[in-house]
């Protein structure tokens, strides 16, 4: 009998993958965690029934959440990731020679341990000596560190459970304090097809805090609606003013210097969601 995993995006839409086998299922302190092997996308991490990352398409999300801010900043040395326990963002950050310190503030150690065990191609950077893994609520970590990071990446689950607080103005203000004077924050801000009103709300919050606020997009096959948004808040650098001819060549599959610029060109309805904020 065929086995399928279906993520229910809302009450009327879902997305299904054919499953070869289940590698692990457990209830952690915070969420239900499953790792499956799917026929097409390879191994998949699922939290509370929501697909987090797959071996086959993880590169799109992780390259775009990392390389756009890190190549916008002139000299990123210290980077904080809030969430991101699968290690995919860490793997991409380590491709930047300027980076000396990466802190991963992840609430659920079981995400880290399962990724190390079942998703080695995604979690491989977690063993690097530049990486500090802090298990605990990222909200607390941010509030306890001031003027410390060049870039903060909010690589969170959807705004449910422990991630609710990561989608609030108080949190983005706290990140502002945690950043150095020319720091940059990037947050994954969900699908414009499904979470338009949330994106609009988040955009308002960013504009209340950061002098430069720029949303950008990419296309992720396994995420709801496929078209995905990130929102960047910057104290000094404009991501669209980056000289693409000066971006060093690194090993990527999705990100290119030209795409860096192009990702800020938004479809009209997405632009309206952000501009109306
Ligand atoms: N790329 C993914 C997506 O959009 O589906 C997110 C990946 S990553 C696995 C998200 C992580 O955020 C999870 O491991 C979850 O445990 C973590 N997380 C949720 N709330 C958190 C919080 N308050 N502090 C730190 N980590 C948190």
């Amino acid at each position: 009998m065929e086995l399928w995993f279906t993520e229910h995006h809302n009450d009327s839409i879902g997305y299904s993958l054919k499953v070869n086998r289940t590698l692990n299922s457990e209830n952690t302190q915070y969420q239900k965690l499953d790792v499956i092997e799917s026929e097409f996308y390879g191994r998949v991490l699922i939290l509370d029934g929501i697909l987090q990352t797959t071996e086959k398409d993880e590169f799109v999300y992780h390259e775009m959440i990392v390389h756009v801010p890190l190549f916008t900043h002139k000299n990123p040395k210290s980077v904080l990731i809030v969430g991101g326990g699968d290690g995919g963002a860490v793997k991409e950050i380590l491709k930047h020679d300027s980076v000396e310190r990466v802190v991963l503030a992840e609430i659920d150690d079981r995400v880290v341990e399962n990724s190390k065990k079942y998703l080695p191609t995604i979690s491989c950077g977690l063993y690097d000596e530049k990486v500090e893994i802090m298990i605990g609520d990222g909200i607390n970590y941010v509030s306890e560190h001031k003027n410390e990071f060049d870039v903060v990446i909010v690589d969170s689950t959807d705004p449910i459970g422990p991630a609710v607080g990561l989608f609030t103005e108080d949190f983005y203000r706290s990140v502002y304090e945690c950043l150095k004077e020319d720091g940059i924050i990037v947050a994954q801000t969900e699908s414009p097809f499904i979470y338009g009103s949330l994106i609009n709300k988040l955009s308002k919050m960013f504009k209340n805090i950061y002098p430069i606020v720029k949303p950008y997009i990419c296309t992720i096959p396994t995420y709801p609606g496929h078209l995905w948004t990130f929102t960047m808040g910057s104290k000094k650098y404009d991501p669209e003013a980056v000289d693409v001819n000066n971006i060093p060549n690194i090993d990527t599959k999705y990100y290119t210097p030209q795409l860096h610029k192009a990702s800020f060109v938004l479809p009209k309805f997405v632009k309206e969601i952000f501009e109306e904020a």
Side-chain angles (χ1 to χ4, degrees), residues 5-9 13-16 49-52 158 222-224:
F5 159 73
T6 298
E7 174 182 317
H8 298 276
H9 301 335
I13 43 173
Y15 186 73
S16 299
I50 306 292
L51 186 153
Q52 301 294 309
D158 295 342
T222 56
Y223 280 7

Side-chain angles (χ1 to χ4, degrees), residues 1 103 107 158 253-254 265:
M1 202 178 70
V103 177
I107 204 165
D158 295 342
K253 286 201 271 186
Y254 190 90
V265 180

